[in-house]
Amino acid sequence: MNQILVVEDEESICGILKYQLERSNYQVAIAVDGEQAIAMMKQSPYDLVLLDLMLPYKDGFEVCREVRQFSMVPIIMLTARDTEVDKVLGLELGADDYVTKPFSARELLARIKANLRRQSVATEDTDTTKKEKLQFGELMIDIKLMQVLRNNVEILVTHREFELLLYLAKHPGVVFSREQLLQDVWGYDYLGDERTVDVTVRRLREKIERDPGNPDYILTRRGAGYYFRRD
């Protein structure tokens, strides 16, 4: 049974989320401020975190930033703020998804389910995914362990970053539009905008490329989308 940490300081919202999640057979823990959330995540492993943006002591942005220093757990930000700047900042700090209040239980549960499907990309029935490891020069993708290494040194990536990298690497030379990547990698009818893909690609490039401004692996086809270099 998947364990979800809900980080929310409003008691009424906590109660609603706990009820809906437990009804859908998830185990639920609650943190009511940013400091408590970080402490709980250091002590116990969770499968996913629902993280409110406006929190006492440390806001959701700071919590996300600190958590990404020690954990790649999927994070869905919950907030009443719907500005482009907030969405991009959340993604830049390592959030996997962003849901704006008010949201329906169906929408939230769909996003949770999509973000929990850690193994789906790695188990597609293709010749490429039958391999346990993909090697591209100094870059190696370990599918079974869901790890990315460069020169045998592990690079910490979020589960969304890993899925995007693996998807592109499995189809070298194929250009994918942002819309198609949202559909195929994010795995559901994403309600945000296509900037999500740009932000995730930029984060990946900063981690795996020697020169993110002149990438060797994830390339851009202007006006079309992104593709993994075919060698």
Side-chain angles (χ1 to χ4, degrees):
M1 183 180 293
N2 291 119
Q3 295 185 337
I4 296 178
L5 175 63
V6 175
V7 188
E8 170 64 66
D9 64 325
E10 292 189 32
E11 185 176 352
S12 60
I13 297 179
C14 279
I16 293 172
L17 289 172
K18 189 172 189 295
Y19 171 76
Q20 293 290 349
L21 292 171
E22 290 181 343
R23 187 180 179 187
S24 299
N25 297 318
Y26 295 112
Q27 290 184 344
V28 181
I30 303 291
V32 296
D33 63 62
E35 291 184 350
Q36 183 185 18
I38 293 171
M40 290 176 67
M41 279 184 268
K42 285 182 177 180
Q43 293 174 1
S44 303
Y46 296 96
D47 298 299
L48 183 138
V49 177
L50 297 179
L51 177 62
D52 188 42
L53 184 58
M54 305 300 293
L55 295 167
Y57 307 119
K58 292 183 178 181
D59 65 19
F61 291 137
E62 178 62 21
V63 172
C64 187
R65 187 189 68 79
E66 291 191 30
V67 168
R68 283 296 177 247
Q69 296 177 14
F70 64 86
S71 173
M72 293 297 112
V73 61
I75 295 176
I76 301 178
M77 281 193 165
L78 307 177
T79 179
R81 295 163 62 173
D82 191 25
T83 68
E84 179 73 11
V85 173
D86 288 334
K87 290 181 179 180
V88 172
L89 179 57
L91 294 169
E92 289 279 11
L93 291 172
D96 296 277
D97 208 344
Y98 194 109
V99 181
T100 304
K101 302 175 183 177
F103 48 80
S104 68
R106 176 180 292 183
E107 175 193 353
L108 181 60
L109 290 171
R111 289 174 181 252
I112 289 172
K113 183 177 180 180
N115 279 278
L116 285 173
R117 47 178 200 89
R118 290 179 175 272
Q119 302 299 326
S120 61
V121 173
T123 56
E124 290 183 14
D125 187 19
T126 66
D127 290 339
T128 303
T129 54
K130 290 176 182 177
K131 301 178 182 179
E132 289 190 355
K133 299 178 181 180
L134 303 179
Q135 187 77 44
F136 304 94
E138 62 185 28
L139 185 71
M140 192 269 283
I141 304 172
D142 190 317
I143 298 174
K144 185 175 181 180
L145 297 180
M146 296 192 71
Q147 291 181 336
V148 180
L149 299 95
R150 186 175 62 201
N151 291 329
N152 295 320
V153 177
E154 183 178 1
I155 301 169
L156 292 180
V157 296
T158 67
H159 111 272
R160 185 67 69 209
E161 292 165 353
F162 181 86
E163 287 190 332
L164 177 59
L165 176 62
L166 180 59
Y167 185 83
L168 292 171
K170 284 171 17 186
H171 306 91
V174 179
V175 179
F176 294 98
S177 68
R178 292 166 177 81
E179 181 180 8
Q180 188 172 358
L181 289 172
L182 282 174
Q183 178 179 336
D184 293 348
V185 176
W186 274 249
Y188 58 99
D189 188 13
Y190 190 72
L191 300 178
D193 56 50
E194 296 175 359
R195 182 70 182 275
T196 300
V197 177
D198 297 330
V199 172
T200 308
V201 167
R202 183 164 64 249
R203 284 179 55 83
L204 264 177
R205 283 174 170 166
E206 290 172 352
K207 293 179 178 182
I208 70 171
E209 304 283 0
R210 287 187 174 276
D211 179 3
N214 185 30
D216 292 318
Y217 300 108
I218 302 177
L219 307 182
T220 302
R221 181 65 53 84
R222 187 176 298 275
Y226 297 104
Y227 66 100
F228 197 89
R229 182 188 297 276
R230 180 195 294 275
D231 291 324

